[in-house]
Amino acid sequence: MKTYAAAASALLALAGCSSGKDDAPPPAPAAAPAPVNPSVGGAAMPADRTIAANAAAAPNLTTLVKAVTAAGLVETLSGPGPFTVFAPTDAAFARLAPGTVDALLKPENKASQTKLLTSHVVPGALTAADLSARVAAGGGTATLTTVQGDPLTLSVTEGHLTLTDVGGNKSYVETGDVRQANGVVHVVNGVLVPRLG
């Protein structure tokens, strides 16, 4: 009995000597690999570059880049954000009425350029999963407010995220979740038109 008591006392003494400070911490869990960005127009989209830099590299976003440059928004889209940008393709701009893009890019129409472009931007970095969750929570639709101040109605049509502007024009996400250093870009197949006036 004395031997057992002595052994128990020794174990307690040893346990008391361990402060935990010298114990090695458990190994950190392995970091999940960063998701690979989809390409846009065949161009790689590094996630550590800004929205403005990646857009400039995409061969199917040249009209958007010209409009952003003409409106003086390159610095904004290079800033910290975060922003979610619904980026219309060149084909989307080509579907506008003839002469619309040429008129839009004229220096005297800078206010209209800015209004149109900021109708494609919402605050925050919203992934496709975030957008879909909002639609589900809203019972089939959700409303986003653009930087311009107009509402965009978000829904899902045959599995595609769909944006409807104030005039009822629809635009579908063609390439989603293009992560950027300052937000997320979703490439869309239509131009969203802001409220007039």
Side-chain angles (χ1 to χ4, degrees):
M1 194 71 175
K2 289 182 180 177
T3 305
Y4 175 78
S9 296
L11 284 173
L12 286 173
L14 284 172
C17 289
S18 176
S19 66
K21 291 179 183 175
D22 296 328
D23 295 340
V36 176
N37 261 349
S39 64
V40 175
M45 298 282 111
D48 60 351
R49 293 175 65 185
T50 65
I51 293 167
N54 272 333
N60 62 339
L61 299 180
T62 59
T63 306
L64 175 64
V65 171
K66 285 179 190 173
V68 166
T69 302
L73 294 174
V74 173
E75 187 175 340
T76 300
L77 293 179
S78 298
F83 306 107
T84 298
V85 175
F86 299 102
T89 61
D90 293 343
F93 279 104
R95 283 194 290 275
L96 295 174
T100 302
V101 173
D102 290 338
L104 184 69
L105 294 176
K106 290 182 177 177
E108 60 268 27
N109 292 327
K110 185 173 179 179
S112 297
Q113 295 162 9
T114 302
K115 190 171 186 178
L116 178 75
L117 294 169
T118 55
S119 293
H120 293 78
V121 181
V122 296
L126 301 172
T127 64
D130 296 330
L131 297 171
S132 296
R134 289 190 183 201
V135 171
T141 62
T143 301
L144 303 174
T145 302
T146 67
V147 172
Q148 165 61 27
D150 286 342
L152 286 179
T153 302
L154 184 66
S155 58
V156 176
T157 307
E158 296 179 4
H160 296 283
L161 282 167
T162 307
L163 296 159
T164 306
D165 65 24
V166 290
N169 302 299
K170 293 187 183 299
S171 181
Y172 303 93
V173 173
E174 290 185 338
T175 305
D177 289 344
V178 188
R179 289 169 172 81
Q180 318 283 312
N182 59 344
V184 180
V185 168
H186 303 284
V187 179
V188 296
N189 71 346
V191 177
L192 302 165
V193 180
R195 184 181 284 117
L196 301 174

